[in-house]
Amino acid sequence: MSAAEPEVPVLQKRDDLTPAQIVAELDKYIVGQAAAKRAVAIALRNRWRRQRVPENLREEITPKNILMIGPTGVGKTEIARRLARLASAPFIKVEATKFSEVGYVGKDVESIIRDLAEASVKIIQEEERARVRDKASQMAEERLLDVLLPPAPPVPETSGRVFSAPPPGGGAARLEPAPDTSSTREKLRSMLREGKLSEREVEIDVESRGLPMAQVFTPQGVEEMGIDLSEMMGNLMGGKKKRRKVKVPDALKLLTDQEAERLLDRETIYREAIRRAEESGIVFIDEMDKIAGTQGPKAGPDVSREGVQRDLLPIVEGSTVTTKYGAVRTDHILFVAAGAFHISKPSDLIPELQGRFPIRVELEALGQEDFVRILSEPRNALTRQYAALLEAEGVRLEFTPEGIGELARVATQVNTGTVNIGARRLHTMMEKVLEDVSYRAPEMRGESVRVDAAYVRSRLDGIVRDEDLSRYIL
């Protein structure tokens, strides 16, 4: 395997994928874990089905939240992330340990929904910008032509003619036709489109909104009220314009962005963003096992853990959260939780929260054969990524099947002998194996590097044999 293969476009129509098609798409990036893929595929398809149910029943159908159980590095987060991309849905990943009961240092759980609304707004804005891009480009082109060829001063009412200077020998001035700038403008337009003005510099006014740092100092109470302090202060102070001298292509891009912003209808964007967050939003809560308490009397940290669960419960159960874009109902947001549950178990969660995650999926630990597939099958396989990175330096990197097999064998051995971190072990292994090539790549332009079993062993054997050393390096 050498350079990265061109990526084949995924299915264009993503809103009505069947469960089998969803699993097939996930298979392109994630190895194994068939049960988890089937569960999320059904959950995504159910959203499509719900939109086609009579309205009086639609409100009663709530998503079946999923709890994924499995060791670290087996693909829990990747499944949720790919699912959101596949559905073009607002998606946010949070760690349960970042939140805390009132009285303990932590973050307010309602910020999950505010962040989801923010992600939804960004998605809708990008879609709207793409929709108005052509019109914005035309308007930007006209503005740039005005800079390149300023409009002529108004012509006196002389039937489109101007007075010429009187002849040297005396006599009356003659009326002559006014100069026609339209042909010059069209000539400039064709030169602009053909790229013949790329090296020319122009001065344009660039709009900038003030106080970008204001939100850093926004108190949490103001955020809870749904007020964006930086936007409010920016509106009070007004948009500032700064004169910049840039090359024509950069000017065209800046002006296009400005015109696209002017064409956006903010109220419509916010309304659609709220609707999509409510109907299609996906929240992935990682490290769910870290907030599970232990059996018996609760004291110390266990009190805080249970407090986080009780704070999460209304959000998962269905409530209304105020954001700066409007109120967001969480009744139909899909929650996917995940945790290793090595020390605790799902039954250690409070019963009310357990009941809100009716679908339980156990992910399998990864072995040597899985590592071989992970390194060779997915479109974003590490071997393809490193080959593409070094190809930028003019170095051809080739992984043989034997080399991939040796990498998988050593990763399995280290995971067994130390802490099992799943497929994440492959990242550290690849960095160590290719460290020398990555360092010397600028001086190796035009060379080829063949990563076979002997090459892998020569760089890892000493570390793997020394258990103490491997704990720190691999």
Side-chain angles (χ1 to χ4, degrees):
M1 187 182 303
S2 56
E5 296 176 6
E7 187 167 320
V8 180
V10 295
L11 297 171
Q12 293 297 312
K13 205 174 179 186
R14 297 184 169 199
D15 60 341
D16 61 349
L17 295 178
T18 65
Q21 289 173 323
I22 294 168
V23 170
E25 289 293 313
L26 293 174
D27 283 342
K28 295 174 183 176
Y29 301 96
I30 302 156
V31 168
Q33 313 304 357
K37 290 175 183 175
R38 285 172 64 93
V40 296
I42 293 169
L44 190 61
R45 182 65 176 183
N46 278 341
R47 302 198 136 193
W48 178 88
R49 291 166 178 156
R50 178 179 169 272
Q51 296 303 320
R52 283 146 185 83
V53 168
E55 193 168 349
N56 60 337
L57 188 58
R58 190 183 307 162
E59 280 298 310
E60 304 298 323
I61 300 174
T62 56
K64 305 302 179 285
N65 298 323
I66 301 167
L67 177 62
M68 293 194 285
I69 306 162
T72 185
V74 296
K76 300 187 294 293
T77 305
E78 191 65 16
I79 287 174
R81 184 179 290 117
R82 292 290 170 185
L83 184 72
R85 290 182 186 176
L86 197 60
S88 298
F91 171 80
I92 183 167
K93 174 185 179 291
V94 297
E95 275 122 28
T97 50
K98 284 187 179 179
F99 305 97
S100 178
E101 185 185 21
V102 175
Y104 288 78
V105 176
K107 200 175 180 185
D108 173 28
V109 292
E110 289 191 351
S111 63
I112 296 173
I113 307 304
R114 287 192 285 269
D115 291 343
L116 183 69
E118 196 76 44
S120 185
V121 167
K122 287 180 181 176
I123 290 174
I124 306 300
Q125 280 180 337
E126 288 305 312
E127 291 177 358
E128 286 298 298
R129 285 193 187 103
R131 187 180 64 81
V132 302
R133 177 63 58 179
D134 290 341
K135 186 175 180 181
S137 297
Q138 293 171 9
M139 296 168 68
E141 186 180 81
E142 296 301 328
R143 282 182 62 186
L144 186 55
L145 288 172
D146 287 341
V147 175
L148 292 168
L149 183 67
V155 179
E157 293 183 7
T158 51
S159 304
R161 296 179 293 173
V162 295
F163 288 98
S164 65
R174 299 187 310 275
L175 283 172
E176 293 182 351
D180 182 14
T181 59
S182 60
S183 59
T184 308
R185 188 179 180 90
E186 291 308 311
K187 184 178 178 182
L188 273 175
R189 190 191 304 276
S190 66
M191 290 174 68
L192 177 63
R193 292 177 177 177
E194 292 168 9
K196 294 180 179 178
L197 303 176
S198 297
E199 296 304 315
R200 186 168 172 178
E201 288 189 336
V202 293
E203 283 191 356
I204 60 170
D205 290 327
V206 180
E207 296 176 1
S208 61
R209 301 188 70 83
L211 296 187
M213 292 293 290
Q215 202 162 1
V216 176
F217 304 102
T218 299
Q220 189 175 349
V222 175
E223 184 186 359
E224 287 176 357
M225 293 168 61
I227 298 173
D228 184 353
L229 187 59
S230 63
E231 184 177 343
M232 182 177 69
M233 294 299 292
N235 290 335
L236 287 174
M237 297 185 66
K240 294 183 178 179
K241 288 189 178 182
K242 184 179 179 182
R243 196 79 173 168
R244 284 182 59 184
K245 195 172 186 178
V246 293
K247 291 191 174 181
V248 165
D250 296 328
L252 189 59
K253 183 179 183 303
L254 288 168
L255 292 173
T256 301
D257 291 341
Q258 284 183 20
E259 294 301 328
E261 287 298 319
R262 288 189 181 128
L263 290 170
L264 296 182
D265 183 346
R266 297 286 171 187
E267 291 302 318
T268 303
I269 287 173
Y270 297 160
R271 196 161 48 246
E272 174 61 20
I274 293 295
R275 188 199 67 79
R276 193 172 300 187
E278 291 179 339
E279 300 294 326
S280 309
I282 299 174
V283 174
F284 180 74
I285 307 175
D286 205 0
E287 298 181 354
M288 197 71 166
D289 55 322
K290 304 297 191 301
I291 62 167
T294 54
Q295 299 297 332
K298 303 292 190 295
D302 279 346
V303 174
S304 180
R305 292 187 190 117
E306 186 169 316
V308 175
Q309 295 181 55
R310 295 199 179 279
D311 285 347
L312 279 171
L313 184 59
I315 303 292
V316 178
E317 213 169 23
S319 60
T320 301
V321 177
T322 302
T323 75
K324 63 187 179 186
Y325 304 111
V328 178
R329 291 177 56 211
T330 67
D331 302 66
H332 299 104
I333 292 173
L334 175 65
F335 290 87
V336 181
F341 289 97
H342 289 311
I343 300 171
S344 58
K345 49 189 182 297
S347 59
D348 290 332
L349 296 168
I350 59 175
E352 299 90 339
L353 194 59
Q354 288 184 51
R356 292 297 166 182
F357 290 89
I359 301 176
R360 308 283 175 85
V361 182
E362 189 166 352
L363 283 81
E364 304 162 1
L366 301 174
Q368 184 171 335
E369 290 303 316
D370 297 312
F371 288 157
V372 170
R373 294 181 60 199
I374 288 170
L375 288 170
S376 52
E377 291 181 11
R379 289 181 176 177
N380 61 337
L382 282 177
T383 48
R384 289 188 170 95
Q385 293 179 28
Y386 278 92
L389 284 172
L390 290 174
E391 191 176 7
E393 298 272 13
V395 178
R396 185 173 181 271
L397 189 62
E398 180 187 356
F399 290 87
T400 68
E402 294 77 20
I404 289 174
E406 186 64 14
L407 276 166
R409 184 192 69 79
V410 176
T412 306
Q413 181 182 337
V414 176
N415 271 348
T416 304
T418 58
V419 178
N420 188 349
I421 60 172
R424 291 190 176 94
R425 184 73 65 188
L426 296 173
H427 290 267
T428 55
M429 305 273 295
M430 291 285 282
E431 279 293 322
K432 197 63 190 171
V433 168
L434 299 173
E435 183 180 31
D436 185 55
V437 178
S438 297
Y439 183 79
R440 296 189 302 110
E443 290 80 44
M444 296 174 61
R445 182 169 293 276
E447 296 184 28
S448 295
V449 177
R450 193 165 185 264
V451 181
D452 53 17
Y455 187 95
V456 173
R457 280 194 295 269
S458 68
R459 279 150 181 80
L460 294 180
D461 262 4
I463 299 172
V464 173
R465 279 198 299 268
D466 189 335
E467 268 192 41
D468 291 332
L469 192 58
S470 66
R471 288 177 189 273
Y472 294 100
I473 296 180
L474 297 179

